[in-house]
Amino acid sequence: MNFIKKIIVFFLIIISINVYSEKAVLLSSVKPPTYINAIKNLGEYFIDIKGLNDMDIIVHEYSKGFYIIHNRKTLEINKEDYYSRLDLLEKFDNSVLKIENKYYLRYDVLAKILSKKTYQDLDRIYFYDYLPKILSFKSNINEWEIIFDTFIDQKSVEITKLDEEYLITLKPISNYSYIPHNINYTYNAGTLYIRFKTDLNLNYEIREKTLKINLKKNEPIDLIKYKKEAVEINDEKITVYSAKFDPKKLKIKNDLNNLGKYVSAQEYFSDSEALLSINTAYFNPTNLEPVGAIIEDGEVLHLSAYSRPVFYITESGNMNIDYINMEYRISINDALFWIKSVNSNWKAEVKVYTSDYHGEIIENEEEYLFFVIENNKVKLMGKKNPKEKEKLLLINKKYEKYLKDIKIGSEISMELHTNIDENIKTLIEGGPILINEDYSKEKLIEERRSYSSGIISGKSPRTVLAIDKENMVTLLVIEGYEDKNKGLNYDGLKILLNKIGEYKKAIMFDGGGSSLMYYKNSIVNYGSERLRDYIPVFLSVYTKE
């Protein structure tokens, strides 16, 4: 007999390796739930015997075991043979476990002495007289209130969000509950599932027998997942600022900082309603002239003679990072011209200025013909700074013979032509491309080779836009000039992106002293003393209208 006991004890010690900490919960209609430590072994719950005192059960321990007394029932527990016996009549073999000098009683035996029913969950076993019922269910746009006939455990309620659909799980719960007819629900084996769609933010609280669910409109700033972290790249700790968001829920927009004029970033943001901004376009620091094309709301805001990759969004909301071909054409009296410069001092025969340009228009009437255009018609002939909705068209006088019949009221058509099928809503030029899942390995190598060694090999602060597999956008600024941290080069950025996410497209923007991120009304990376004060172009994130 002693040999068999030792074998049983050895077996129990072996299986105890697979025992995990759980909870037994006693539900009541007159007081809050009672919690007792439990363990789950081979799919069965065992409850801490000494913890039964909390269930108003008398527990008496002696050398060979325990006596448990409740409602005129007596349960004998044998420590040596690991059995229990109810009222000296009904014996339950293998109903006792010993783990780390603690004794546990199998759940079905406890249910008998308590005269309770049970409901088992992944990490909970509930003891109750009857399944909890919903007595009242009130719902409106901003709040739900559910009243039960039983005090509710916090883990009886689970709320999960999948896209714009919420799933509320209530357990254990009776099928004989009051639920309004307009609520979409299903019931299965003691569990109630409620589904509903909303774009509101949900939070809830449980107080005694009442569950309150509050539905509130998301604050726009809550839709941005901002993070500052130190990431180890090639044995160096690099400070990374990142902000991730869903472009379907927030608006991405190019912002021009008083183009042609010196206005500091700090002054610009003092009057900004942007939730988030980063620097983007490369520019000439001597005159703040951006490099490349800028389009916003379908309007060309800047154009100069460069051809670099772009980040763009179409009118239907599709995003991409790639090279595109653009032609900005103007048709006047059957004469067709190509506009080569917009809001730029770049030398060109056909140019346009808009009200977004705040600098001096240096071209003169000895070299150019000037036409003020509004609503695709000539409004004024002569040089004048354009107001809102106006454009100033400049055409070299060598084409004057084709324009003799132009007068106030003459119709003028301006059209942007590209090699993509959709109209472009937002576009900003940058480069080089870091990631493009549509490119071959050889094409990405060629992209790397097409830029100067300073951009590719030099370590400095960096600004990056990345699009992940779920079409979420992440804006990143990598700190540099800080202690021994010199920032990252092209290859280091690719390592970083592969380390922190799964991105399908990514592009670099202007870096070095221009790298800047604005979030929650402040420039977050102002730690760099070499941060350039004057930056002409930002990519910003706003509340969607």
Side-chain angles (χ1 to χ4, degrees):
M1 185 66 180
N2 288 334
F3 176 76
I4 294 174
K5 289 181 184 177
K6 290 179 180 178
I7 292 296
I8 293 173
V9 172
F10 175 76
F11 178 72
L12 291 173
I13 292 172
I14 293 299
I15 65 172
S16 72
I17 296 172
N18 295 318
V19 173
Y20 298 89
S21 178
E22 316 291 340
K23 289 287 183 186
V25 183
L26 178 62
L27 296 177
S28 169
S29 61
V30 296
K31 66 178 183 178
T34 302
Y35 299 92
I36 302 174
N37 289 329
I39 55 176
K40 198 174 183 182
N41 181 61
L42 300 180
E44 289 191 305
Y45 279 94
F46 288 76
I47 289 79
D48 182 8
I49 292 173
K50 289 188 176 181
L52 297 178
N53 286 306
D54 295 334
M55 288 187 173
D56 297 328
I57 297 174
I58 297 173
V59 179
H60 174 70
E61 183 176 9
Y62 66 104
S63 60
K64 292 184 178 181
F66 299 87
Y67 284 111
I68 294 177
I69 303 170
H70 182 72
N71 285 346
R72 298 182 181 180
K73 295 178 182 178
T74 301
L75 183 73
E76 175 196 355
I77 295 174
N78 191 295
K79 290 181 180 179
E80 295 179 349
D81 295 326
Y82 302 101
Y83 71 83
S84 59
R85 193 191 310 270
L86 183 60
D87 293 334
L88 302 176
L89 297 173
E90 193 173 2
K91 186 179 178 183
F92 304 94
D93 292 324
N94 302 320
S95 60
V96 180
L97 281 181
K98 180 184 179 183
I99 306 294
E100 297 179 350
N101 294 319
K102 288 187 177 182
Y103 289 89
Y104 297 83
L105 179 64
R106 200 171 65 212
Y107 77 97
D108 58 323
V109 181
L110 177 60
K112 274 186 174 289
I113 194 170
L114 290 173
S115 298
K116 302 288 186 184
K117 298 174 183 177
T118 62
Y119 174 95
Q120 297 187 34
D121 201 7
L122 290 175
D123 62 353
R124 288 277 203 277
I125 180 167
Y126 294 92
F127 293 85
Y128 55 87
D129 292 318
Y130 52 85
L131 282 172
K133 295 179 183 178
I134 296 174
L135 299 178
S136 171
F137 194 132
K138 299 176 183 177
S139 63
N140 57 46
I141 296 174
N142 298 316
E143 184 179 80
W144 289 14
E145 182 183 76
I146 304 173
I147 299 176
F148 302 85
D149 65 353
T150 303
F151 284 80
I152 299 301
D153 171 36
Q154 293 289 332
K155 284 205 170 184
S156 291
V157 180
E158 293 180 4
I159 298 181
T160 309
K161 186 176 184 184
L162 301 170
D163 295 325
E164 292 185 354
E165 182 178 74
Y166 280 100
L167 172 64
I168 301 176
T169 306
L170 303 176
K171 55 188 175 182
I173 197 77
S174 169
N175 193 26
Y176 300 101
S177 293
Y178 170 74
I179 303 172
H181 69 277
N182 62 331
I183 299 296
N184 178 18
Y185 76 95
T186 56
Y187 181 85
N188 182 46
T191 304
L192 184 70
Y193 303 94
I194 300 172
R195 295 178 181 273
F196 66 100
K197 288 187 176 181
T198 181
D199 57 357
L200 300 177
N201 192 34
L202 184 153
N203 58 70
Y204 70 96
E205 64 174 348
I206 297 171
R207 290 188 179 180
E208 298 181 346
K209 299 179 183 181
T210 302
L211 167 64
K212 283 194 175 182
I213 299 173
N214 295 308
L215 301 167
K216 295 193 303 183
K217 187 175 181 180
N218 282 310
E219 292 297 327
I221 201 69
D222 295 334
L223 299 175
I224 299 172
K225 294 182 180 178
Y226 168 80
K227 186 191 299 183
K228 177 185 178 182
E229 60 183 325
V231 182
E232 189 168 316
I233 305 293
N234 296 330
D235 298 324
E236 288 186 345
K237 291 284 188 181
I238 304 296
T239 302
V240 179
Y241 305 85
S242 64
K244 180 178 177 181
F245 61 93
D246 186 346
K248 292 180 181 178
K249 296 180 178 179
L250 294 170
K251 180 181 179 181
I252 303 174
K253 178 180 176 292
N254 283 310
D255 282 336
L256 302 182
N257 178 13
N258 297 276
L259 199 60
K261 199 174 179 183
Y262 283 82
V263 175
S264 72
Q266 197 73 276
E267 182 180 349
Y268 173 80
F269 286 123
S270 67
D271 195 35
S272 173
E273 295 182 358
L275 304 173
L276 170 71
S277 297
I278 57 167
N279 70 292
T280 49
Y282 293 87
F283 64 95
N284 182 341
T286 61
N287 61 6
L288 304 184
E289 169 82 31
V291 171
I294 303 170
I295 297 174
E296 189 51 53
D297 285 332
E299 294 288 331
V300 180
L301 301 185
H302 190 268
L303 193 65
S304 57
Y306 291 94
S307 180
R308 296 192 180 197
V310 300
F311 163 72
Y312 68 86
I313 306 171
T314 66
E315 286 186 353
S316 65
N318 291 322
M319 300 180 297
N320 198 12
I321 293 171
D322 204 352
Y323 288 84
I324 68 168
N325 297 322
M326 289 189 295
E327 287 185 351
Y328 196 19
R329 302 174 188 171
I330 184 167
S331 176
I332 312 175
N333 283 3
D334 297 326
L336 189 64
F337 297 91
W338 276 257
I339 301 170
K340 296 295 184 179
S341 172
V342 177
N343 290 331
S344 170
N345 288 328
W346 187 269
K347 186 76 172 176
E349 293 179 342
V350 182
K351 308 182 66 170
V352 169
Y353 287 97
T354 73
S355 60
D356 300 284
Y357 187 76
H358 296 268
E360 180 187 359
I361 298 173
I362 60 174
E363 292 80 9
N364 58 63
E365 292 181 292
E366 292 181 2
E367 189 177 1
Y368 288 93
L369 298 169
F370 291 83
F371 306 93
V372 176
I373 301 168
E374 185 176 6
N375 297 325
N376 295 321
K377 290 183 178 181
V378 175
K379 180 180 180 181
L380 179 72
M381 300 176 70
K383 184 177 179 180
K384 171 184 175 293
N385 286 341
K387 297 178 181 179
E388 189 175 357
K389 297 182 180 181
E390 295 179 343
K391 294 183 176 72
L392 180 65
L393 172 64
L394 289 70
I395 300 178
N396 192 285
K397 278 194 171 181
K398 73 179 185 179
Y399 299 108
E400 189 171 10
K401 62 182 178 180
Y402 302 106
L403 304 171
K404 289 181 179 179
D405 296 333
I406 298 297
K407 59 183 180 295
I408 293 175
S410 293
E411 293 190 359
I412 294 180
S413 172
M414 292 184 180
E415 294 181 349
L416 178 67
H417 295 262
T418 71
N419 62 331
I420 62 174
D421 295 333
E422 296 184 74
N423 292 331
I424 292 173
K425 179 178 176 64
T426 297
L427 177 147
I428 186 68
E429 206 163 303
I433 292 173
L434 291 157
I435 299 172
N436 190 319
E437 64 179 6
D438 301 327
Y439 283 16
S440 65
K441 184 178 179 180
E442 290 74 20
K443 191 170 182 179
L444 280 173
I445 291 173
E446 188 60 34
E447 172 74 3
R448 186 183 186 279
R449 287 174 178 166
S450 65
Y451 286 81
S452 68
S453 60
I455 291 177
I456 298 300
S457 303
K459 285 187 176 183
S460 69
R462 301 289 184 178
T463 302
V464 174
L465 181 148
I467 306 169
D468 67 20
K469 305 287 186 180
E470 305 299 323
N471 281 324
M472 302 288 278
V473 173
T474 301
L475 306 182
L476 301 107
V477 164
I478 290 80
E479 188 64 273
Y481 309 142
E482 182 179 67
D483 300 326
K484 294 182 179 179
N485 177 5
K486 301 295 182 185
L488 291 175
N489 57 21
Y490 179 89
D491 294 333
L493 283 174
K494 296 188 75 169
I495 293 170
L496 170 67
L497 291 171
N498 289 327
K499 195 167 187 175
I500 66 173
E502 295 184 9
Y503 299 105
K504 61 181 181 180
K505 303 280 176 78
I507 187 171
M508 289 170 56
F509 290 117
D510 191 15
S514 301
S515 283
L516 175 150
M517 179 177 284
Y518 171 86
Y519 175 70
K520 281 192 174 181
N521 301 316
S522 65
I523 299 172
V524 296
N525 65 317
Y526 240 6
S528 170
E529 293 180 0
R530 294 175 62 182
L531 181 68
R532 191 173 289 139
D533 286 334
Y534 302 101
I535 297 172
V537 187
F538 302 101
L539 190 69
S540 299
V541 178
Y542 290 87
T543 303
K544 209 159 194 174
E545 297 174 357

